[in-house]
Amino acid sequence: MERKYSLNGLGLKCLGWVFTLCAVGGIMLPGGVPGAILSYLGYISLPIFAFLLVEGFRNTGDFRRYAITMVITAVVTEPFYDYACNGVWLDMVELNGQNILFGLALGMVQLYFLKAMGTGSAGRILASGLMVLCSALWCFILNVPGGALLQLMVGLFYLLKEHPPAMYASAGAIGLLFGGTPVLALPLVAFYNGERGKYCKYIFYAAYPVLWAGIAIVKLFAA
């Protein structure tokens, strides 16, 4: 039966960006009810981008370029992110930690090793599960807000791709553990039609550092 409604990759990315802007609003409005609401809504973006990361990994013709682009974008973003959040150009320890692109870059590393390990035996399945947990732990150590949730979702979407009921049930359970709002992303992901959509992917890479650079510049001159 043909779906009446569906989302391509571009549609999912745009929705992910809507919730990313909510997350940014939550960071910039700490300590109040509006900021808390925006932060919770921002968590909806993480399963969306985890899913898109897995799809991008499966379809990329150049993993190295994909990963390097992600790392470079994360590094370029970080000074602006730190200044916008904490008023300093480099801060590794504050609550807001490192920007989420470092989590996506680590997700790429996770996917590379998951593909290399495979799941052909009980031992490999166990090793893959441990790899997912280690990736989540690294995000915790590196202080990437939401990074642990991102890594778990990346692992689930990759390992359980061929088993949708188990994938969505597991992702839903993880989402509930992280405040509940990530669960709201799952119906959106379910509407994905497998098409990329027409857009220049580098626009989205550039948009995130430009966003934080704009906030940092406003904060710098408003001080």
Side-chain angles (χ1 to χ4, degrees):
M1 182 177 178
E2 187 177 350
R3 291 180 178 179
K4 186 176 181 181
Y5 303 105
S6 65
L7 287 168
N8 60 19
L10 176 59
L12 270 180
K13 281 199 173 184
C14 290
L15 286 171
W17 258 91
V18 169
F19 294 114
T20 295
L21 292 176
C22 289
V24 171
I27 292 173
M28 302 314 296
L29 297 171
V33 173
I37 293 173
L38 288 171
S39 293
Y40 276 115
L41 290 175
Y43 272 85
I44 300 174
S45 68
L46 296 177
I48 294 174
F49 285 120
F51 179 82
L52 290 171
L53 187 72
V54 172
E55 288 298 302
F57 176 79
R58 288 179 181 277
N59 294 299
T60 185
D62 192 339
F63 167 80
R64 182 176 296 180
R65 184 174 66 178
Y66 192 4
I68 290 175
T69 302
M70 191 77 71
V71 171
I72 291 174
T73 309
V75 171
V76 170
T77 301
E78 188 62 20
F80 302 116
Y81 174 84
D82 284 342
Y83 191 85
C85 294
N86 306 312
V88 294
W89 292 106
L90 184 61
D91 191 343
M92 304 291 289
V93 298
E94 287 293 332
L95 177 64
N96 294 311
Q98 280 50 259
N99 72 80
I100 194 62
L101 292 183
F102 283 107
L104 289 170
L106 186 57
M108 289 292 293
V109 175
Q110 178 193 158
L111 289 168
Y112 177 84
F113 282 102
L114 289 178
K115 182 179 180 180
M117 288 187 293
T119 56
S121 65
R124 288 183 176 183
I125 293 172
L126 178 60
S128 296
L130 290 174
M131 181 66 205
V132 175
L133 293 177
C134 286
S135 298
L137 178 61
W138 267 110
C139 274
F140 178 78
I141 294 171
L142 295 173
N143 195 16
V144 180
L149 170 62
L150 182 69
Q151 299 308 312
L152 294 173
M153 290 292 183
V154 166
L156 289 174
F157 287 139
Y158 182 78
L159 294 172
L160 298 177
K161 173 74 173 179
E162 304 304 322
H163 308 281
M167 182 181 78
Y168 286 114
S170 301
I174 295 296
L176 290 174
L177 291 176
F178 282 84
T181 50
V183 175
L184 300 177
L186 301 182
L188 301 176
V189 167
F191 274 105
Y192 179 61
N193 60 16
E195 298 177 1
R196 179 178 180 272
K198 295 181 179 180
Y199 64 94
C200 176
K201 63 182 179 181
Y202 294 106
I203 291 176
F204 289 97
Y205 282 114
Y208 197 67
V210 168
L211 171 64
W212 284 110
I215 296 172
I217 290 169
V218 169
K219 185 171 182 176
L220 176 64
F221 286 99

